[in-house]
Amino acid sequence: MKPYRILILGAYGNFGRRLSARLARVPDLELLLAGRSGQKAEQLVATLRTGGASAHCTPLVIDAQSATLPAELKESGAQLLIHTGGPFQGQDYRVARACLAAGLHYIDLADGRDFVTGISQLDAEARAQDRVVISGASSVPGLSSAVMQALSADLAQVDRIDIAIAPGNRTERGEATVAAILSYVGKPSQIWQGGRWRTVYGWQNLHRHSFPAPVGRRWLAHCDVPDLSLFPEHYRGVQSVQFSAGLELSFLHLGLYGLSWLRRLGWVRDWSRHAGRLARMSRWFERFGSDSGGMVVTVAGRDHAQQVRCQQWQLLAGSGDGPFVPTIAAAVLAKKLASGAAMISGARPCLEQFTLAEFVAEARDLDIHFRCDERPTHD
């Protein structure tokens, strides 16, 4: 049988090469590892081949901004494109539209709130082409919604959702990731709190959270992610949805908090313009801290007997494996499409598109561990 051909756009980037490495282990796949730099694509292919790749890997030069992108995608013969080239904050849908024009399925690793929630504008076109277009196949909302689906299964009503992510300081981070965070530092956004929309500011609302060892106690602050729009609509009646993230080194986290005030006061228009410089500065401190990070999802509500319930799911990543987490959702979905599994056509956010069990199974070879506990409640 002819191998299923997947084009990974931005394949040699921070998340792209991790996703490429995971899919390269699948023998029935053909991977086109693409980006603007042919040299970097060739280097990635050589690395994967040296590592014993089972899939057939080919380097490819493709520029997402090219006016001839639909024709280039069609000529590639790919059946699915996975877009890993962030930051997605501020991007348009030219890549997804080019995929539809060329007859490809499309998945991205976006975590930009407006980008992910707006993908539905392509739904009619995707249905007409009988193609799958999924945005946000990443930690949020891909993994977070899979966790929510599992935790809310026994609840008649979800009242509160609280999500937090805290990466280790020594885990690798690319400039695109830094730019994505900086795009909302000090920027106003809306969160659903107390049953109404309330204005908050990026990287403010400081608080502390104690993760299990070895992650430990971390500072957290507000982040603007798709879940903040998607979950209030999906879980009708929920009173509060919050999302926070934190840096391991307190002085870096609190320094970013200081920068948030400069934007909030109007002294700086957009910190993402300085992503390259700030990313380089952050690397001065890479030898400090750890390579351990965590994610926690806390859900409170009432079960069908109207008893108050509170559950907390936790992910702990070590050995520098944390950056694989945002790639696992895309790997799960890509394998589904490649296997011929039925998936509903159309364009939508990655909301409950795979199960938590499928995610855990895909991560089984990584230093990533999971636990779920019942928490004390106060009616």
Side-chain angles (χ1 to χ4, degrees):
M1 187 172 69
K2 193 174 180 180
Y4 191 85
R5 186 174 292 184
I6 300 175
L7 191 157
I8 302 178
L9 188 60
Y12 45 77
N14 190 38
F15 297 128
R17 58 189 170 84
R18 286 177 167 84
L19 175 62
S20 299
R22 296 200 67 76
L23 293 179
R25 304 181 306 174
V26 183
D28 295 331
L29 295 181
E30 182 177 352
L31 301 182
L32 304 178
L33 305 179
R36 289 178 294 180
S37 171
Q39 181 181 7
K40 290 181 179 179
E42 289 171 2
Q43 289 173 346
L44 175 60
V45 168
T47 299
L48 295 176
R49 287 174 179 167
T50 301
S54 298
H56 180 73
C57 301
T58 303
L60 188 65
V61 177
I62 285 190
D63 186 348
Q65 303 302 314
S66 171
T68 60
L69 183 59
E72 293 175 51
L73 295 181
K74 191 173 186 64
E75 185 179 353
S76 74
Q79 295 155 277
L80 163 67
L81 181 145
I82 306 177
H83 188 4
T84 71
F88 288 90
Q89 287 82 355
Q91 280 196 40
D92 58 23
Y93 299 116
R94 70 179 63 218
V95 175
R97 292 185 188 279
C99 286
L100 291 175
L104 280 68
H105 298 296
Y106 167 92
I107 295 171
D108 67 45
L109 274 61
D111 61 359
R113 184 173 180 175
D114 292 339
F115 186 94
V116 174
T117 57
I119 197 70
S120 299
Q121 66 186 259
L122 303 181
D123 186 57
E125 185 178 354
R127 288 179 184 274
Q129 297 287 340
D130 194 24
R131 290 295 177 264
V132 173
V133 173
I134 296 176
S135 183
S138 187
S139 302
V140 292
L143 172 57
S144 55
S145 69
V147 174
M148 277 300 306
Q149 183 181 40
L151 295 187
S152 64
D154 295 330
L155 297 180
Q157 172 63 47
V158 174
D159 294 326
R160 176 173 61 88
I161 303 169
D162 198 343
I163 305 170
I165 293 180
N169 185 63
R170 285 159 57 186
T171 52
E172 187 178 2
R173 52 194 172 272
E175 185 176 322
T177 301
V178 175
I181 295 171
L182 291 173
S183 70
Y184 54 72
V185 166
K187 180 181 177 181
S189 61
Q190 297 287 303
I191 67 169
W192 187 251
Q193 193 170 68
R196 62 183 180 88
W197 290 106
R198 175 172 167 251
T199 300
V200 295
Y201 293 83
W203 216 260
Q204 298 200 352
N205 293 30
L206 283 179
H207 58 286
R208 301 271 271 177
H209 181 82
S210 294
F211 292 84
V215 179
R217 193 164 174 80
R218 300 278 182 93
W219 280 107
L220 298 173
H222 168 70
C223 290
D224 198 29
V225 297
D227 306 44
L228 297 173
S229 293
L230 296 172
F231 287 179
E233 181 178 350
H234 191 69
Y235 296 98
R236 294 299 178 93
V238 67
Q239 293 298 299
S240 175
V241 179
Q242 297 190 78
F243 187 95
S244 307
L247 305 180
E248 180 177 9
L249 302 184
S250 293
F251 73 91
L252 289 180
H253 184 97
L254 297 175
L256 200 55
Y257 171 70
L259 296 185
S260 75
W261 276 103
L262 296 181
R263 181 170 182 181
R264 180 173 177 175
L265 294 171
W267 297 353
V268 175
R269 181 177 297 178
D270 184 354
W271 280 113
S272 65
R273 298 180 178 183
H274 308 281
R277 183 184 308 168
L278 291 172
R280 290 191 294 272
M281 291 173 63
S282 73
R283 295 188 190 107
W284 298 345
F285 309 101
E286 278 186 345
R287 66 183 184 275
F288 302 107
S290 71
D291 59 4
S292 298
M295 176 175 176
V296 58
V297 179
T298 306
V299 179
R302 295 179 179 272
D303 62 21
H304 294 279
Q306 291 303 302
Q307 296 297 309
V308 177
R309 299 274 303 280
C310 183
Q311 298 178 83
Q312 188 173 85
W313 175 91
Q314 298 178 83
L315 175 155
L316 298 175
S319 305
D321 282 350
F324 278 100
V325 174
T327 71
I328 294 174
V332 170
L333 295 175
K335 289 180 179 180
K336 281 189 172 187
L337 284 168
S339 69
M343 294 187 69
I344 299 172
S345 63
R348 55 193 176 274
C350 190
L351 191 68
E352 298 182 357
Q353 296 299 301
F354 57 88
T355 67
L356 181 57
E358 289 173 322
F359 184 96
V360 171
E362 180 64 31
R364 63 184 177 275
D365 63 313
L366 298 168
D367 186 9
I368 298 176
H369 306 279
F370 311 90
R371 58 183 289 182
C372 187
D373 303 303
E374 197 79 22
R375 310 294 291 181
T377 60
H378 303 282
D379 199 348

